[in-house]
Amino acid sequence: LIQVFCRIFGKDLTVLSKTETDRPAGNSKALALAVCSAAIGGTFQYGYNLSIMNAPTNHIQRFINDTYWERWGASLDTSKVTLFWTVIVSAFSLGGLAGALLAGPMAVRFGRKNSLLLNNLFLFLGAVLALSSRTARSVEMIILARLLVGVNAGMSMNIQPMYFAESAPKHLRGAVAFSSAVFTAFGIFMGQVVGLTELLGTEPLWPYLLASNTLPGILQLLTLPWFPESPRYLLMDLGDKEACAEALTRFRGKGTISLEMEEMLQEQVDAGGALAKSQTPWDLFSDRSLHPQLCTIMATSSAMMLCGNDSIYFYATYIFLQAGIPVEKIQYASIGTGACEFTAAVMSNLLIERVGRKMLLSGGYALMAVWALVFTLALTLQGYSVPGMPYLSMACVFCYILSFGIGPAGVTGILPAEIFDQTARPAAYMVAGSLMWINLLIVGMAFPFIVSYLGAICFVPFIGVCVVASLFVGLTLPETKGRTLAEITAEFDRRHPVKMQGAEPMKQHYQLGKALSLTRLDTDPPSPAGIDPEPTGEGQSDGIRVGI
């Protein structure tokens, strides 16, 4: 898959020049298989569990009403059934928040790969509860099942991008990390297909639909153990140079890996030396030098959920009914939304290393604002019986999702890995993931009531979010495509000069290949500071030697 991407760009992985990548070309097969294995039980699960709840909406709501009648001898009115349904949907977001908070400590304690494997325990337990809920006549078991599935999704949404970004070479970092968005969209599409009435979307089979997420989890358990841990985690967190070299060889082939290990060690030196302690979210908030980066990920992570795109999958039935689509055709229109995001994610994966992160993110939100405005106009004209407006409304929803998939869906997850160093990265993902799930909870709880009370202008709040997000990204975010952490940090320094007072910009602090000379590969642990002094002599570069 990665080879295809690179050939579309006019490059072959086996012949990329050193001046272009400063990295060995890589073993694309091992890297691509590792990406698929991690993602099929990772962000694929997030998309899949996001979309499968739309198909059984009426069946579960009927189950809620029947269960309430059996217990209390009374039926629920429509508003109370909607409230119960909203709680079930929102339990997924609450679980996601818990998973996001667990992701950072687990990624540090167990590693990126092992955390993804352990994460499947929440999934399997949730599947057992979902399967048993109808037999036990318990709505509470459905809520708990969705909570546990949310924990699984929250952890995978944070840990998987870390694993990808730390395993891929710099010239493929964006494309590989964006694979998280591709698999999310693929999961959404597959969840909608499996939820068709011709498959598992019928009244007798809805518990099996909710439990069908175990199959991707089993596939991950069978395949991911065969691939190495993140090379950066092995070297910078565990100090295991041999394991890091072996992992890099698996992912890069037999080419030289010394320059990449050199860059990791220099980043480690700047972060506080060998085996520096991982930071906590409080450390990030306390460090004023990281405030620009922190504000960036907080704003983009919040906007990703406040724009309302993911809530469309929860409440597609409500939206398409509002748009005037016939009831019997709604399930097929819903599949169109998943197909749109999957198509957009694949397109964006092909474009990200050409166009860059900033353009995709800012432009994506700008396009979303445009289509949301057209959707609002179409719904308004529909009230005046203008012909063709229901289908224009549906087309606007598709275009809105396409625009989201082109940029915000994938770029948002890449940013913490690219603008924070190894010690701060898990905490940054905790902050970003927590805000994602909190805002998804807010929008998920409010969305059906927004549609109900605002009617034709239900997308106006989301227009405002998209406009603000587009402007914020365009004005504050530096381009990160193909740049080292030092160069990205220097750009933040330039944009926020107050941050640089009393401190030397990181870009001036070192230059790889000049301030560093990697001349040996041994098995002795590095010195406490991670460096050995090297005298300056003829033919040598000034600076330090890092021993790995």
Side-chain angles (χ1 to χ4, degrees), residues 137-159:
R137 310 301 294 172
S138 173
V139 177
E140 294 82 0
M141 291 177 71
I142 300 177
I143 296 173
L144 185 55
R146 293 296 294 175
L147 186 73
L148 291 170
V149 169
V151 173
N152 173 272
M155 288 184 60
S156 64
M157 288 285 286
N158 284 7
I159 297 174

Side-chain angles (χ1 to χ4, degrees), residues 174-429:
V176 170
F178 208 102
S179 299
S180 297
V182 174
F183 277 91
T184 298
F186 183 50
I188 289 171
F189 176 72
M190 289 303 299
Q192 292 167 336
V193 170
V194 173
L196 287 172
T197 53
E198 293 83 353
L199 296 175
L200 298 180
T202 60
E203 198 280 330
L205 297 178
W206 65 260
Y208 297 94
L209 174 62
L210 298 188
S212 60
N213 51 26
T214 56
L215 296 178
I218 292 172
L219 185 59
Q220 184 184 72
L221 287 176
L222 293 175
T223 56
L224 189 57
W226 296 96
F227 297 101
E229 177 59 90
S230 153
R232 281 180 170 263
Y233 174 79
L234 292 171
L235 181 62
M236 302 174 69
D237 288 70
L238 300 184
D240 192 337
K241 295 174 289 187
E242 291 184 353
C244 175
E246 182 180 348
L248 284 174
T249 301
R250 287 279 306 277
F251 285 137
R252 309 287 186 267
K254 296 182 179 180
T256 176
I257 57 174
S258 59
L259 185 59
E260 189 160 1
M261 293 183 73
E262 176 186 359
E263 182 180 303
M264 293 182 198
L265 286 169
Q266 180 58 64
E267 182 183 324
Q268 187 177 34
V269 169
D270 291 316
L275 303 182
K277 181 182 177 182
S278 295
Q279 298 185 51
T280 65
W282 177 249
D283 294 330
L284 299 187
F285 285 105
S286 301
D287 188 348
R288 294 187 60 188
S289 68
L290 294 177
H291 282 183
Q293 290 94 319
L294 194 60
C295 289
T296 297
I297 66 162
M298 290 174 67
T300 54
S301 299
S302 298
M304 181 180 177
M305 294 305 175
L306 290 176
C307 71
N309 182 83
D310 285 357
S311 295
I312 290 175
Y313 300 114
F314 283 144
Y315 301 112
T317 299
Y318 289 93
I319 294 172
F320 287 124
L321 281 174
Q322 183 69 35
I325 305 301
V327 175
E328 65 275 8
K329 295 182 180 180
I330 284 179
Q331 64 174 339
Y332 303 106
S334 298
I335 289 180
T337 62
C340 282
E341 184 164 340
F342 179 62
T343 302
V346 173
M347 289 172 53
S348 187
N349 208 324
L350 300 176
L351 293 173
I352 189 169
E353 294 300 346
R354 277 192 168 185
V355 178
R357 284 65 155 156
K358 181 176 180 177
M359 178 64 72
L360 289 178
L361 194 57
S362 181
Y365 279 122
L367 287 173
M368 290 171 71
V370 170
W371 291 117
L373 179 61
V374 176
F375 179 67
T376 301
L377 293 174
L379 288 179
T380 302
L381 292 175
Q382 185 178 319
Y384 293 96
S385 301
V386 177
M389 288 302 103
Y391 296 97
L392 176 60
S393 300
M394 184 171 67
C396 289
V397 172
F398 289 161
C399 291
Y400 189 82
I401 294 171
L402 275 169
S403 303
F404 178 80
I406 287 175
V411 177
T412 306
I414 296 173
L415 290 180
E418 293 196 331
I419 66 178
F420 287 93
D421 63 28
Q422 187 76 8
T423 60
R425 195 170 293 135
Y429 269 107

